[in-house]
Amino acid sequence: MAAFQQRVFSGVQPTGNLHLGNYLGAIKRFVELQTTHDCIYCVVDLHAITVWQDPEELTRSIREVTAAFIACGIDPKRHIVFNQSQVHEHAELAWIFNCVARMGWLNRMTQFKEKAGKDRENVSIGLYAYPCLMAADILAYRATHVPVGEDQKQHLELARDIAQKFNNDYSARIRARGFGEAFFPLTEPLISGPATRVMSLRDGTKKMSKSDASDYSRINLTDVADEIAQKIRKAKTDPEPLPSEEKGLENRPEADNLVGIYAALAGNSRADVLKDFGNAQFSRFKEALTELAVEKLGPIGSEMKRLVQDPKSIDGVLADGAARARVIAAATMKSVKDIVGFVQA
Ligand code: AMP
Ligand code: TRP
């Protein structure tokens, strides 16, 4: 494949409260990648409205996710932070991808099947087409690397399929315009570390999610120390002490989850955690986990709350990021239109 400039892109939906899964599976990785890559981090508001969002709540949530990015350590001056709807090229490229992707490909998307459930006839067309918009988000910047949690893996495979089909369908024109064999890169997912899938604190077989009815299932980034402590204390466990080796976590989903969370917060591995806590009772381990979680998340929550007090300044960050994102996305879109055969000025 042709050499593409290395670029990171990822997105987070402004829906509900951000939680520990979003932080460990995604945002913490976004922060780390800033030292090695040019990064673009997007608050994907167009994705959010694939299911109903109260408009005022949506506005609040867009600013809150932006505040979370900054509070976690993303630098919006050196990298790009913006909200998706300010760069119309996302929607424009998504339409073209709607015409590249096949029904059969989208029919396989497990997240759609889960979200639509039995109500398939009554969900929005946007919910179904959402993976094409996600591919457009990434490919508008011809991004090469995308950090996400495990739940997004299938969508990233679809983005590769779309890129590949576009490159093949239009190969003659792509070559004739000097882009070599491929106009779009086949994006690499970055899914690694001890917390690619953080599970509910109430049920180790269910993903920690914004939409779980029980707030005890998740730790929100804005939870205060007492809430964090209470949620960890009440977290489901099993009666055995912790094993001293990773193999002992098999078939113990709750233990595995809490050990994974500890490892991700501490920046080490499950094996390291079990070296320190092997044979410990959960009561002792939970105390240590609470202390670590409060130490790491406390400052983020307070900074988020401080930042959202000043919506003007957050909106300024988004406007500045959007202006810089638009330059890149507009150049891609111009080439895409030319490749597809549209007449343009
Ligand atoms: P969303 O809230 O669906 O926009 O997700 C934002 C990012 O957080 C995506 O990269 C997800 O894969 C990631 N994410 C969401 N929930 C979890 C979880 N329980 N564990 C790990 N990563 C997650
Ligand atoms: N679909 C992702 C989620 O729900 C969010 C997202 C939208 C995204 N566009 C993206 C993630 C592009 C990575 C790259 O979590």
Side-chain angles (χ1 to χ4, degrees):
M1 196 172 70
F4 286 90
Q5 188 194 327
Q6 297 231 329
R7 187 178 275 147
V8 165
F9 182 96
S10 196
V12 174
Q13 296 199 46
T15 48
N17 291 333
L18 288 172
H19 55 69
L20 188 62
N22 297 127
Y23 177 62
L24 296 177
I27 304 175
K28 187 166 182 284
R29 321 271 331 280
F30 298 0
V31 175
E32 292 158 1
L33 285 160
Q34 293 182 110
T35 53
T36 49
H37 289 76
D38 286 332
C39 304
I40 305 178
Y41 296 127
C42 186
V43 184
V44 289
D45 46 14
L46 298 175
H47 276 89
I49 62 160
T50 54
V51 296
W52 168 252
Q53 303 296 326
D54 175 76
E56 275 166 35
E57 188 53 30
L58 179 62
T59 307
R60 189 199 65 78
S61 191
I62 292 167
R63 293 183 179 133
E64 188 176 82
V65 174
T66 311
F69 282 174
I70 299 169
C72 291
I74 291 170
D75 178 350
K77 291 214 164 68
R78 293 195 41 212
H79 300 274
I80 294 179
V81 171
F82 73 108
N83 59 313
Q84 191 183 23
S85 60
Q86 291 207 56
V87 179
H88 60 68
E89 283 79 3
H90 290 244
E92 210 175 345
L93 186 56
W95 178 260
I96 293 183
F97 289 169
N98 282 342
C99 303
V100 172
R102 307 288 94 183
M103 293 285 284
W105 301 358
L106 287 168
N107 286 339
R108 287 199 290 273
M109 295 294 117
T110 54
Q111 194 179 73
F112 175 76
K113 288 186 212 165
E114 275 164 27
K115 284 200 177 176
K118 290 197 181 70
D119 203 24
R120 241 180 129 124
E121 294 291 309
N122 215 11
V123 295
S124 75
I125 293 169
L127 189 69
Y128 182 74
Y130 152 132
C132 292
L133 177 59
M134 179 162 162
D137 299 337
I138 298 164
L139 295 173
Y141 305 93
R142 302 208 278 166
T144 52
H145 295 86
V146 179
V148 282
E150 172 72 35
D151 60 345
Q152 296 302 315
K153 191 165 177 228
Q154 196 183 33
H155 292 154
L156 289 182
E157 281 159 11
L158 187 93
R160 289 167 69 99
D161 290 342
I162 290 176
Q164 179 112 56
K165 183 160 161 55
F166 183 94
N167 290 339
N168 287 343
D169 289 353
Y170 295 103
S171 61
R173 288 176 73 92
I174 288 170
R175 216 173 298 117
R177 278 152 184 77
F179 291 110
E181 294 303 306
F183 179 72
F184 287 122
L186 304 186
T187 304
E188 292 284 339
L190 300 174
I191 305 173
S192 64
T196 55
R197 189 171 171 83
V198 176
M199 308 309 276
S200 156
L201 299 179
R202 310 250 63 180
D203 176 353
T205 63
K206 261 175 54 189
K207 195 178 70 167
M208 184 179 285
S209 126
K210 290 167 175 171
S211 54
D212 196 311
S214 164
D215 200 51
Y216 277 95
S217 69
R218 63 184 161 257
I219 294 174
N220 302 304
L221 287 187
T222 49
D223 283 349
V224 297
D226 277 355
E227 289 168 312
I228 296 176
Q230 212 175 58
K231 287 175 179 180
I232 293 179
R233 200 174 321 119
K234 290 202 171 177
K236 187 173 171 203
T237 51
D238 57 43
E240 303 293 318
L242 284 173
S244 46
E245 309 222 339
E246 237 182 303
K247 230 176 123 32
L249 292 171
E250 276 170 24
N251 302 318
R252 296 180 65 184
E254 284 83 17
D256 183 59
N257 189 39
L258 294 180
V259 171
I261 290 173
Y262 191 104
L265 284 171
N268 58 22
S269 67
R270 282 180 170 73
D272 291 327
V273 177
L274 294 178
K275 261 187 226 138
D276 292 340
F277 292 98
N279 302 315
Q281 298 294 333
F282 272 108
S283 52
R284 181 162 89 79
F285 179 64
K286 280 180 165 182
E287 268 174 38
L289 178 59
T290 301
E291 201 176 309
L292 180 64
V294 169
E295 177 198 325
K296 300 283 179 186
L297 303 179
I300 295 176
S302 334
E303 182 63 2
M304 279 173 71
K305 285 174 199 155
R306 192 184 69 78
L307 289 167
V308 296
Q309 299 297 311
D310 185 1
K312 271 219 182 87
S313 136
I314 291 186
D315 295 0
V317 166
L318 293 173
D320 173 66
R324 289 186 287 141
R326 212 174 282 131
V327 174
I328 307 171
T332 305
M333 208 51 224
K334 192 165 192 304
S335 300
V336 167
K337 286 183 171 175
D338 181 34
I339 290 166
V340 170
F342 293 151
V343 172
Q344 55 188 331

